[in-house]
Amino acid sequence: MTGSEHRRALPFLPFAVVGVAGSDGYGVDHSTLTLAICELVHVTNELFSARCTGGGITLAEAEVLTTKAHKWVVDHYQPVLGPSHTTKLHRMAAHLLDEFRLRGNLYDGNTAYNETLHKAVKKAYNLTNHRRDQFIEQLILVEQVSRILLDDGADDPASAPSSDASSDPEYDSESSDARQRRRRRRRRRGGARRRQYAKQYTIAHLAHIHGLPGLGTELGVSDSTTLRCAKSLYYGDPARPRRGRMSHTVRAAQSFHGAPWFDWVRYRGPGGELRVGQAALVTQARSGAWVRLVVRRAESTPATKGCVLTKYGCERLQWSVPADGNAARLDAVEAKDIVRWLSVEYDWEDLCERHGATVMPDKVPKTTAELRAARFFVIAFVSERAREEGDWEEGDCENE
């Protein structure tokens, strides 16, 4: 899974909810569907690894991999969804080994390049009236007209500036004054925007609106101290190129593109021990020299018996709540102490057993008992390397 797929698509774990919904009426075990999806991710991660796309794979390794793919189609896919006679499933179950023997990799049979070439044709087709007996002629006509226009534009000499406007000194003076006034207005508007984003809050106010009791104590400042807030924090090497910076950005925003976005991270505690937590707030001094990421700490918890996700290396978590407290413990983390970004999802099986299959996490009551009962999984299938390779938009690289 690439970073963009993980961010934009539904994570695979919510499909376990479908299995839970059907288990009461039909006796279908939800773990069967979860197992099928986990095995699919495991197999596809190997199929799209470097050794299968040109790095080199031995015949013995290819035989093991093709056996796994065939087993997934026969033993996992068909028992859940029934027989499905599709080309891709047939190739995955029967012809992977032939592909390895013929080409030595799976990349040469990739159709992504040809499919990319279809985009220009599809855009031109959308300009037609979609009539099968006419759109071919219309596409040819559009191509010919565009070629003629491009050729005419290349033959025309560059137009010289108007002599009337340039010869009038009064006209030039007025234009210069108008341009300066426009620049001043833009600077004033830009300054107003910067002042708006640089709004400061007291620690007591931040603790109240974000639900972070003990925030001042953890930051080592009084409740009357004023700090600025940000929606993201960059960690890693500042010399990395702009595209790589996105993969080292932690979000902590109550509203980002219209929805809450709070990343999970693995970081080092005061004694150097590794911890896991969810980003809750990014605070910084007015100068920007002092920046801290406030994290709600989580801790490992034993897995349930026969848990499918634990079998595939997923770590089960719970909130780290003091015995006499009603909120998760907080940690103030510097950028240098962040180890990596994590992909974390709810334990959907546990959530459905406690609240039913139709209740989503944002509808769960926000009580202390629910805080102690909530369970999560660190998804082992999503790596930070995959997040780096995702096609992130450059606009997402900026701090809000």
Side-chain angles (χ1 to χ4, degrees):
M1 295 177 68
T2 65
S4 58
E5 286 170 347
H6 176 259
R7 289 293 190 191
R8 298 169 187 166
L10 286 174
F12 62 87
L13 286 179
F15 286 100
V17 178
V18 180
V20 175
S23 61
D24 294 335
Y26 302 97
V28 179
D29 187 3
H30 64 271
S31 62
T32 303
L33 183 58
T34 306
L35 176 62
I37 296 176
C38 288
E39 186 64 24
L40 173 63
V41 176
H42 177 70
V43 172
T44 52
N45 278 349
E46 292 194 25
L47 289 176
F48 292 101
S49 61
R51 63 175 184 171
C52 295
T53 56
I57 184 172
T58 64
L59 180 60
E61 293 173 339
E63 289 176 347
V64 172
L65 186 54
T66 52
T67 302
K68 288 182 180 180
H70 180 270
K71 183 178 179 181
W72 180 83
V73 175
V74 176
D75 297 345
H76 294 93
Y77 180 86
Q78 291 184 350
V80 176
L81 299 176
S84 181
H85 304 287
T86 65
T87 304
K88 290 186 178 180
L89 282 177
H90 177 70
R91 290 180 60 190
M92 185 173 180
H95 295 292
L96 278 182
L97 188 57
D98 296 336
E99 188 75 10
F100 281 122
R101 283 173 172 170
L102 179 63
R103 298 185 173 92
N105 61 75
L106 301 178
Y107 188 77
D108 292 343
N110 186 13
T111 60
Y113 175 75
N114 291 332
E115 292 174 357
T116 303
L117 300 179
H118 296 167
K119 294 182 179 180
V121 178
K122 290 179 180 179
K123 290 181 179 180
Y125 173 73
N126 290 333
L127 300 177
T128 69
N129 57 9
H130 298 187
R131 292 187 56 180
R132 288 183 175 272
D133 57 339
Q134 296 181 4
F135 74 81
I136 295 179
E137 291 82 358
Q138 292 182 17
L139 290 176
I140 296 175
L141 182 62
V142 168
E143 182 181 1
Q144 291 177 346
V145 171
S146 62
R147 184 175 300 174
I148 292 172
L149 293 177
L150 290 175
D151 292 342
D152 291 345
D155 295 337
D156 291 341
S159 59
S162 175
S163 58
D164 296 338
S166 59
S167 61
D168 189 353
E170 184 177 359
Y171 175 85
D172 293 341
S173 176
E174 290 178 354
S175 300
S176 177
D177 293 342
R179 287 195 296 271
Q180 291 179 2
R181 287 194 297 269
R182 285 195 297 271
R183 291 195 192 98
R184 285 195 292 268
R185 285 197 296 268
R186 283 197 294 268
R187 283 197 295 268
R188 284 196 295 268
R189 287 196 297 267
R193 293 192 191 100
R194 286 192 292 271
R195 286 191 294 272
Q196 178 183 357
Y197 289 128
K199 186 176 180 180
Q200 298 190 19
Y201 304 88
T202 63
I203 294 296
H205 183 64
L206 291 174
H208 174 71
I209 62 177
H210 292 275
L212 302 172
L215 177 61
T217 303
E218 186 60 39
L219 292 175
V221 296
S222 63
D223 289 344
S224 59
T225 304
T226 58
L227 294 174
R228 293 170 53 188
C229 293
K231 292 185 178 181
S232 59
L233 172 68
Y234 171 74
Y235 68 97
D237 184 6
R240 290 190 54 152
R242 180 185 179 90
R243 184 174 178 82
R245 291 175 66 95
M246 183 56 214
S247 63
H248 291 79
T249 301
V250 178
R251 300 285 185 198
Q254 289 184 325
S255 178
F256 189 83
H257 292 303
W261 190 333
F262 297 98
D263 281 329
W264 287 75
V265 294
R266 193 180 298 278
Y267 59 96
R268 297 183 182 87
E273 71 280 8
L274 291 179
R275 296 178 178 178
V276 177
Q278 185 184 39
L281 180 67
V282 178
T283 60
Q284 58 185 12
R286 185 171 184 178
S287 62
W290 183 91
V291 182
R292 294 293 184 274
L293 174 67
V294 181
V295 178
R296 291 187 176 95
R297 194 194 312 173
E299 57 190 12
S300 298
T301 184
T304 58
K305 184 178 179 180
C307 178
V308 176
L309 296 174
T310 304
K311 173 186 174 183
Y312 283 86
C314 299
E315 180 185 0
R316 198 166 188 243
L317 302 174
Q318 67 179 1
W319 292 117
S320 178
V321 183
D324 56 346
N326 58 358
R329 292 183 174 92
L330 301 179
D331 285 326
V333 184
E334 297 184 45
K336 64 182 180 63
D337 293 327
I338 299 176
V339 177
R340 56 161 298 191
W341 166 88
L342 294 175
S343 173
V344 177
E345 287 291 336
Y346 277 89
D347 184 346
W348 293 98
E349 177 184 351
D350 173 76
L351 186 70
C352 293
E353 288 178 353
R354 291 187 290 108
H355 298 285
T358 59
V359 177
M360 291 292 103
D362 57 343
K363 303 299 181 183
V364 173
K366 299 185 183 301
T367 61
T368 304
E370 178 60 32
L371 183 70
R372 295 179 181 276
R375 296 293 184 269
F376 310 89
F377 275 105
V378 177
I379 307 305
F381 304 111
V382 182
S383 64
E384 193 169 42
R385 181 184 60 83
R387 194 186 184 204
E388 292 181 11
E389 296 173 355
D391 52 331
W392 299 84
E393 293 88 347
E394 290 188 358
D396 287 347
C397 297
E398 300 295 334
N399 290 347
E400 313 309 317

